[in-house]
């Protein structure tokens, strides 16, 4: 898992010289690892169950690789902590490191709750929007607004404080309400672009919410893909059994 995180960040650094997707890599790596674990073991278990095993089995070496990836990405607003700072060699597992950071970082929190909010908030909102006829792009927007309005963005918290993050949630609730009740999502395009410009002018960048949105879409797609693979596998086993 740690190697997957480090190689993901290194691949990014080979293309751009700044941090564009550390949060996405940290969230995506366990999902991808869990998916391929299922495939490799021909396991017929839900994605979340496999994901839980991947996270629980992470070790100190995974933490070493992940710390290196974080230092390489050098995200803004990282700050310093007195215990288990990423600038030091880790003496704990990756999951333990995430537990240490979970109170100040929403991505770390997902490691600690087995992606509970990714599935309950992100996957659910995306699937609901898609089932109501929205395109993937607008369903992703619905998912993003859901994150913005329900979970204070910890990137905003680190840079601007708790109150700024809470105020952003309140703003997002209003835009989410207008989005949900719009006759067509396209009607909200200019309104959302205007809000985005206002946030940029205020220096507000809800990057954690964006990372969680990407993880939600990835979890949704991998879950769907795994279900198809498992059904195909079962059908193949049935055919093999019947031929005997």
């Amino acid at each position: 898992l740690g190697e997957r995180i480090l190689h993901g960040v290194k691949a990014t650094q080979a293309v751009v010289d700044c941090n564009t997707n550390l949060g996405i890599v940290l969230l995506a790596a366990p999902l991808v690892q869990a998916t391929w674990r299922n495939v490799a073991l021909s396991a017929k278990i839900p994605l979340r169950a496999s994901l839980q095993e991947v996270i629980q089995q992470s070790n100190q070496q995974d933490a070493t690789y992940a710390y290196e990836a974080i230092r390489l990405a050098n995200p803004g607003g990282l700050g310093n902590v007195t215990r288990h700072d990423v600038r030091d060699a880790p003496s704990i597992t990756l999951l333990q490191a995430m537990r240490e950071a979970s109170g100040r970082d929403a991505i770390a929190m997902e490691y600690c709750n087995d992606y509970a909010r990714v599935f309950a908030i992100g996957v659910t909102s995306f699937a609901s929007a898609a089932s109501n006829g929205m395109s993937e792009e607008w369903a992703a927007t619905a998912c993003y607004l859901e994150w913005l309005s329900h979970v204070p963005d910890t990137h905003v918290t680190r840079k601007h404080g708790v109150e700024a993050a809470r105020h952003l949630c309140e703003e997002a609730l209003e835009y989410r309400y207008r989005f949900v009740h719009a006759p067509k999502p396209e009607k909200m395009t200019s309104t959302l672009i205007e809000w985005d410009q206002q946030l940029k002018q205020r220096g507000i960048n809800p990057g954690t919410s964006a990372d969680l949105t990407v993880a939600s879409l990835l979890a949704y797609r991998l879950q769907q893909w795994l279900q198809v693979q498992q059904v195909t596998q079962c059908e193949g086993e049935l055919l093999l059994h019947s031929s005997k």
Side-chain angles (χ1 to χ4, degrees), residues 38-78:
N38 266 15
V39 172
L41 299 177
S42 298
K44 300 183 183 68
I45 61 175
L47 175 60
R48 278 198 69 186
S50 183
L51 178 66
Q52 182 181 27
E53 292 182 6
V54 165
I55 293 173
Q56 292 290 334
Q57 291 170 6
S58 64
N59 55 36
Q60 188 174 331
Q61 186 61 55
D62 291 315
T64 299
Y65 285 125
Y67 277 30
E68 184 181 346
I70 294 168
R71 292 194 299 270
L72 183 63
N74 192 26
L78 184 59

Side-chain angles (χ1 to χ4, degrees), residues 228-242:
V228 171
Q229 297 303 309
Q230 289 167 355
V231 168
T232 302
Q233 182 184 342
C234 287
E235 289 174 345
E237 291 173 355
L238 285 170
L239 284 170
L240 181 62
H241 180 73
S242 63

Side-chain angles (χ1 to χ4, degrees), residues 47-220:
L47 175 60
R48 278 198 69 186
S50 183
L51 178 66
Q52 182 181 27
E53 292 182 6
V54 165
I55 293 173
Q56 292 290 334
Q57 291 170 6
S58 64
N59 55 36
Q60 188 174 331
Q61 186 61 55
D62 291 315
T64 299
Y65 285 125
Y67 277 30
E68 184 181 346
I70 294 168
R71 292 194 299 270
L72 183 63
N74 192 26
L78 184 59
N80 295 284
V81 293
T82 55
R83 284 164 47 92
H84 308 299
D85 193 284
V86 295
R87 296 168 185 82
D88 303 325
S91 58
I92 55 178
T93 69
L94 180 57
L95 177 55
Q96 288 171 329
M98 291 300 183
R99 284 174 179 155
E100 286 283 326
S102 61
R104 60 182 183 273
D105 185 82
I107 292 172
M109 176 61 77
E110 291 308 301
Y111 274 72
C112 302
N113 63 21
D114 300 321
Y115 283 49
R117 294 186 301 187
V118 164
F119 284 89
I121 295 174
V123 173
T124 299
S125 61
F126 179 82
S128 175
S131 66
N132 286 328
M134 285 191 188
S135 66
E136 283 201 345
E137 291 83 358
W138 284 114
T141 302
C143 179
Y144 185 47
L145 289 172
E146 201 76 19
W147 279 112
L148 280 173
S149 58
H150 283 88
V151 179
D153 190 287
T154 48
H155 181 69
V156 173
T157 299
R158 283 193 294 273
K159 295 194 73 175
H160 301 280
V162 174
E163 286 305 313
R166 288 176 179 168
H167 179 66
L168 178 62
C169 281
E170 293 170 0
E171 284 185 73
L173 272 172
E174 178 186 342
Y175 283 97
R176 175 183 169 275
Y177 178 86
R178 293 168 65 181
F179 181 82
V180 169
H181 290 88
K184 291 183 179 180
E186 292 82 359
K187 298 289 185 182
M188 285 291 292
T189 301
S190 59
T191 301
L192 291 173
I193 288 175
E194 183 180 350
W195 183 41
D196 178 66
Q197 291 171 344
Q198 291 172 5
L199 292 176
K200 285 183 170 68
Q201 289 169 1
R202 288 153 49 191
I204 301 292
N205 173 23
T208 303
S209 301
D211 295 339
L212 289 162
T213 299
V214 175
S216 301
L217 270 62
L218 178 62
Y220 173 84

